[in-house]
Amino acid sequence: GVIRTALHNMDREAREHYSVVIQAKDMAGQVGGLSGSTTVNITLTDVNDNPPRFPQKHYQLYVPESAQVGSAVGKIKANDADTGSNADMKYTIINGDGSGVFSISTDKETREGILSLKKPLNYEKKKSYTLNIEGANTHLDFRFSHLGPFKDVTMLKIIVGDVDEPPLFTMPSYVMEVYENAKVGTAVGTVTAQDPDTASSLVRYSIDHNTEEDRYFTIDASTGTIKTAKIFDREETPWYNITVAASEIDNPGLVSHVPVGVRILDVNDNPPELAREYDVIVCENAKPGQVIQTITATDKDNSANGARFHFSLDEVLSLNPNFTLRDNEDNTASILTRRRRYSRTTQDIYYLPVLISDGGVPPLSSSSTLTIRVCACERDGQVRTCHAEAFLSSAGLSTGALIAILLCVVILLAIVVLFITLRRSKKEPLIISEEDVRENVVTYDDEGGGEEDTEAFDITALRNPSAAEELKYRRDVRPEVKPAPRHHLSSSLDSIDVHEFIKQRLAEADLDPSVPPYDSLQTYAYEGHRSEAGSISSLDSATTHSDQDYNYLGDWGPEFKKLAELYGEIESERTT
């Protein structure tokens, strides 16, 4: 049952699939034997026996000059009859004048060659390029090398398309210089741009005013000359960055930009000054010619206009008998003593004017005054104390004694303040006696039982005006005149008329000379005697006897049947 090929050099690309019917017979194939058959499907596997081939030997591609560097500009593909890895190939540019401008790569999925741009195109300089592109298999089978070569070459001509381009500056960036303090309108420099197209349109210049720095300069729209719009100070801002735009007059939408840096040059316009504030100290036991301080200077201008400083004493003043100055010629100077024995008690501070000049053109100078303090020092020159504590020492008082004196003064002041505060806090009370109470307010957090509840509180004092006859004095005023005697009511409780009682109290308050002239509010919570009519509520009517006959409720219909039965039961209970 071995199946073998019957044809020589079978080609998968011509026919890939075969179907073979196999029959098996018993009894050696004699008559009367049994047989069975089956179908065998045979597929030819691929080998790399077909080289790649370009469909054409010449191709042509159009690419505009505005194409971006790195972008894909075209595709090319060679055909291979094989499949799988046997059809993999690689594309390369083998020669041509455009090999430095274009590059090609292989797409493994589609097996296409992707042509990309390496350098920018310029139609005005070169209008076309020629490339020789090779496509070759990457997996070779040396058994079929006699069928090769397994590669193919085609020629690609690239035509560059003309595009209206924006103006092109002659330089990628510009650096200009101008002196500080220059007048407004001083020319700084000129930028130049040209239209790269064959039409060569005129160019218009402008400054992008995106930042505040762009407003410090102006530009001529026709010539590109940049001028100053303000007076500059190098010590404030030494450098400015602006952006200049160039556009075609015929097509303002095509704009190109270039950065411009403006360096502000230095002018010697700042005099030198001391590098810092110096605290100069001279010891009382200093010797003549002793260096007590070394000073340095600084200049806001750059080194070309002030690197060398000259130090001297002010010549306008007379010769200083106490101190002198020596220029060290290294941009420093030394302050020296001219005599011995300085005394703090005689003079504790000296002032020394120093004149500093620079080496710029023109040279500038300034005068600074050094303050020299006289201090007491040890023998090794270490400062012990200066004039602030020297006066205390001369008076014979130490630091501990001074602190003790200050502490005693603080304690005495505290005692005096405490005494005055206690004395002012003592005031004579206005209450004549402890039992003098003008008014009592009693609060009950209890809810009463209604009109019938007379047990919750005693209202006798409200109903009996005689209970308020006791004389009481005001707590805030000491009476000087005895009040007029009041007439006590001798009537019984039931015969008192509250209205008359209130009128009587009002008259007594008006005639009392001991009462201040302001209104007095007195409240009497009296509601009068109990009504003789009794309660008119129907809540307890069921417990009282009544002659009312409710039999007529049965004649009102079924709606009042339940009510008639209820009152009928109550009536029957009363009867029994």
Side-chain angles (χ1 to χ4, degrees):
V2 178
I3 301 175
R4 292 183 174 87
T5 58
L7 299 177
H8 180 67
N9 293 330
M10 301 180 69
D11 189 3
R12 185 200 65 83
E13 288 72 29
R15 184 175 180 180
E16 183 178 3
H17 301 286
Y18 294 87
S19 296
V20 179
V21 178
I22 306 298
Q23 186 180 43
K25 292 182 178 182
D26 57 5
M27 295 179 62
Q30 295 179 6
V31 179
L34 300 178
S35 64
S37 62
T38 185
T39 301
V40 178
N41 295 319
I42 301 173
T43 301
L44 299 182
T45 59
D46 183 57
V47 295
N48 192 7
D49 58 347
N50 293 281
R53 292 291 181 263
F54 287 101
Q56 304 178 30
K57 290 300 180 181
H58 298 278
Y59 290 90
Q60 185 171 315
L61 180 64
Y62 174 83
V63 179
E65 63 175 338
S66 60
Q68 299 295 324
V69 175
S71 63
V73 295
K75 297 179 181 180
I76 193 170
K77 184 177 182 181
N79 297 327
D80 194 331
D82 297 323
T83 60
S85 61
N86 295 322
D88 291 343
M89 65 182 66
K90 181 180 180 181
Y91 297 92
T92 56
I93 299 175
I94 56 177
N95 53 37
D97 57 355
S99 59
V101 181
F102 298 91
S103 63
I104 192 169
S105 59
T106 304
D107 188 341
K108 295 182 179 180
E109 297 294 332
T110 62
R111 296 186 176 94
E112 294 177 330
I114 308 300
L115 195 66
S116 302
L117 187 63
K118 293 173 58 178
K119 295 181 180 179
L121 301 177
N122 191 335
Y123 173 82
E124 288 71 27
K125 292 184 178 180
K126 192 172 181 61
K127 297 179 175 57
S128 64
Y129 296 89
T130 301
L131 299 176
N132 291 325
I133 299 176
E134 178 187 79
N137 285 138
T138 57
H139 300 87
L140 300 179
D141 192 341
F142 294 100
R143 295 176 300 172
F144 307 99
S145 59
H146 61 281
L147 301 176
F150 285 83
K151 59 184 178 181
D152 195 15
V153 179
T154 187
M155 185 179 68
L156 175 63
K157 184 178 181 180
I158 300 175
I159 298 175
V160 180
D162 187 19
V163 177
D164 193 5
E165 299 174 283
L168 183 64
F169 286 95
T170 57
M171 298 176 61
S173 62
Y174 292 85
V175 177
M176 303 177 182
E177 296 177 343
V178 64
Y179 282 98
E180 64 175 331
N181 301 329
K183 296 181 179 180
V184 175
T186 302
V188 180
T190 303
V191 296
T192 305
Q194 296 178 351
D195 184 9
D197 299 322
T198 56
S200 186
S201 301
L202 296 178
V203 178
R204 182 180 183 87
Y205 301 94
S206 62
I207 296 178
D208 288 345
H209 296 290
N210 296 327
T211 61
E212 188 66 24
E213 294 182 356
D214 297 330
R215 305 182 184 276
Y216 297 159
F217 300 91
T218 60
I219 189 171
D220 191 294
S222 301
T223 62
T225 301
I226 300 175
K227 297 181 180 180
T228 60
K230 62 165 289 187
I231 297 177
F232 298 99
D233 186 2
R234 189 202 67 86
E235 289 72 34
E236 180 180 351
T237 306
W239 187 277
Y240 291 90
N241 293 309
I242 61 176
T243 301
V244 177
S247 61
E248 295 182 7
I249 296 179
D250 298 337
N251 189 0
L254 296 176
V255 183
S256 59
H257 300 81
V258 67
V260 179
V262 181
R263 181 187 297 110
I264 307 300
L265 300 179
D266 184 47
V267 174
N268 192 26
D269 57 347
N270 291 280
E273 56 188 12
L274 290 177
R276 59 182 178 87
E277 293 289 338
Y278 289 95
D279 184 16
V280 185
I281 295 175
V282 60
C283 296
E284 288 183 319
N285 55 358
K287 298 178 180 180
Q290 181 178 345
V291 177
I292 60 175
Q293 184 68 51
T294 300
I295 60 176
T296 60
T298 184
D299 195 336
K300 294 181 180 179
D301 298 319
N302 60 21
S303 59
N305 291 306
R308 175 70 175 89
F309 300 117
H310 302 275
F311 299 87
S312 62
L313 295 179
D314 197 344
E315 298 178 355
V316 178
L317 303 177
S318 59
L319 181 64
N320 194 312
N322 302 306
F323 304 95
T324 185
L325 182 143
R326 181 180 64 198
D327 191 346
N328 298 326
E329 298 184 356
D330 59 353
N331 293 334
T332 64
S334 300
I335 308 299
L336 295 86
T337 58
R338 298 194 66 176
R339 63 182 181 87
R340 67 174 67 244
R341 295 295 179 185
Y342 296 87
S343 176
R344 289 171 294 165
T345 57
T346 303
Q347 185 174 352
D348 59 341
I349 295 178
Y350 293 88
Y351 299 99
L352 182 65
V354 177
L355 185 65
I356 309 172
S357 60
D358 58 20
V361 179
L364 297 178
S365 61
S366 66
S367 179
S368 301
T369 302
L370 293 175
T371 301
I372 304 175
R373 296 188 300 154
V374 180
C375 297
C377 304
E378 303 292 345
R379 291 185 177 182
D380 57 357
Q382 184 177 1
V383 178
R384 183 180 62 193
T385 182
C386 291
H387 66 280
E389 296 182 357
F391 295 131
L392 294 178
S393 299
S394 61
L397 295 176
S398 63
T399 304
L402 180 61
I403 295 175
I405 293 174
L406 293 177
L407 185 61
C408 292
V409 171
V410 171
I411 294 175
L412 290 176
L413 290 176
I415 294 174
V416 171
V417 171
L418 181 62
F419 177 76
I420 294 175
T421 303
L422 293 177
R423 187 166 185 177
R424 288 182 178 180
S425 63
K426 293 182 178 180
K427 295 181 179 180
E428 185 176 358
L430 296 177
I431 300 176
I432 298 175
S433 68
E434 296 181 356
E435 298 179 356
D436 182 20
V437 179
R438 176 180 176 86
E439 185 179 16
N440 288 331
V441 179
V442 180
T443 301
Y444 295 93
D445 189 10
D446 186 15
E447 185 175 351
E451 298 178 354
E452 300 298 329
D453 186 3
T454 59
E455 302 298 331
F457 56 91
D458 187 7
I459 61 173
T460 305
L462 300 178
R463 300 175 62 181
N464 186 9
S466 62
E469 286 299 317
E470 183 181 358
L471 179 63
K472 295 180 177 62
Y473 294 99
R474 296 179 56 88
R475 299 178 60 185
D476 55 347
V477 177
R478 183 187 298 274
E480 297 179 356
V481 182
K482 292 183 179 181
R486 298 180 180 179
H487 302 283
H488 296 278
L489 298 176
S490 59
S491 302
S492 61
L493 180 62
D494 295 334
S495 63
I496 294 176
D497 188 351
V498 175
H499 180 66
E500 294 296 332
F501 170 74
I502 293 175
K503 289 177 62 177
Q504 181 180 352
R505 282 288 184 264
L506 180 60
E508 291 178 358
D510 291 340
L511 299 177
D512 191 352
S514 64
V515 178
Y518 51 76
D519 295 337
S520 177
L521 177 63
Q522 299 183 13
T523 302
Y524 300 92
Y526 178 68
E527 299 182 358
H529 297 285
R530 181 177 179 181
S531 174
E532 298 178 358
S535 175
I536 62 175
S537 174
S538 62
L539 296 178
D540 55 352
S541 60
T543 60
T544 58
H545 297 282
S546 175
D547 298 333
Q548 180 71 28
D549 185 8
Y550 297 100
N551 293 329
Y552 62 87
L553 293 177
D555 300 335
W556 285 9
E559 292 84 357
F560 297 91
K561 180 179 180 180
K562 187 65 177 179
L563 186 61
E565 293 176 355
L566 178 62
Y567 277 87
E569 294 176 359
I570 296 175
E571 186 65 25
S572 62
E573 290 178 359
R574 290 176 181 175
T575 304
T576 56

